[in-house]
Amino acid sequence: GTLQRLSYHLENGTEAAVAGFTAKGKLSDLRCFTQPVFAPDADDATWCGFRKGPTTVDLYSPKELLSAHVAFDHGERRRIENLWENGKPQQVVDLGATAGTENDFTEDGVKRKALAWVVQPGGTAGKPGRRVLTLQQDYHESGSLIRERHWTPTDRGASLALDEEWYLHGQLK
């Protein structure tokens, strides 16, 4: 049979890394650990960006269609581009250590939403920080910007600093 899934678990039983495969052996899912763990069964050292720096891998749907491009650097996801069946981007997420962005698109390529955030440090050592939204832009199906909101990060999250809406012809409401 064809390998369908590999997983790596920590001593406490928590799943820490996964590689999933389609019926034809193409990657369908990949979550990396802080170091390569799947050799010799799979090349997560290359896929997860441990060998030559940042690496982009292609993920495939059960129908064997290209479904995403995912970039890793030393085990950390840095960019995720989910695709519609027609190959156009559905969602593009850029993940930095201290900030990130997300852009959502319709099947014909029109941007519908844009988000930006900063990562506030976690309160406990070893715990990930928390995302605090700093920008949200909403777009009409025609592609025109119709609403934009900005937040200023605070100790407890964020406070709304700007909230503007536009008519479709571009005039501020």
Side-chain angles (χ1 to χ4, degrees):
T2 307
L3 182 63
Q4 293 181 343
R5 190 172 195 273
L6 286 171
S7 63
Y8 174 79
H9 292 78
L10 302 176
E11 285 183 14
N12 67 8
T14 304
E15 189 173 70
V18 170
F21 302 91
T22 67
K24 293 185 178 175
K26 295 178 179 177
L27 265 178
S28 62
D29 186 20
L30 183 63
R31 283 183 286 137
C32 300
F33 189 53
T34 55
Q35 64 191 31
V37 292
F38 292 140
D41 300 306
D43 191 6
D44 60 329
T46 298
W47 298 338
C48 297
F50 291 107
R51 287 219 169 103
K52 298 175 184 168
T55 305
T56 299
V57 295
D58 294 336
L59 300 181
Y60 291 84
S61 72
K63 296 180 186 176
E64 305 290 336
L65 296 171
L66 183 61
S67 62
H69 305 291
V70 185
F72 291 91
D73 186 15
H74 291 87
E76 297 280 333
R77 277 189 187 200
R78 291 294 173 218
R79 182 179 177 89
I80 305 154
E81 185 177 4
N82 293 309
L83 306 174
W84 291 101
E85 283 194 5
N86 65 13
K88 291 187 177 183
Q90 178 180 19
Q91 182 182 68
V92 178
V93 181
D94 286 294
L95 302 163
T98 59
T101 61
E102 176 182 312
N103 291 286
D104 297 339
F105 302 90
T106 63
E107 205 164 350
D108 54 359
V110 177
K111 186 188 278 192
R112 291 305 307 270
K113 182 181 277 189
L115 302 173
W117 63 83
V118 295
V119 177
Q120 289 186 334
T124 313
K127 293 280 184 182
R130 127 181 117 100
R131 288 184 186 179
V132 176
L133 194 63
T134 58
L135 172 68
Q136 179 174 337
Q137 294 174 317
D138 297 310
Y139 295 84
H140 184 264
E141 60 194 29
S142 66
S144 300
L145 181 64
I146 55 174
R147 187 172 187 189
E148 180 170 295
R149 293 184 287 174
H150 292 258
W151 289 268
T152 303
T154 65
D155 293 341
R156 297 191 171 173
S159 64
L160 187 63
L162 178 74
D163 189 350
E164 294 182 326
E165 293 186 59
W166 288 269
Y167 293 103
L168 285 179
H169 59 74
Q171 181 181 340
L172 198 58
K173 285 188 177 180

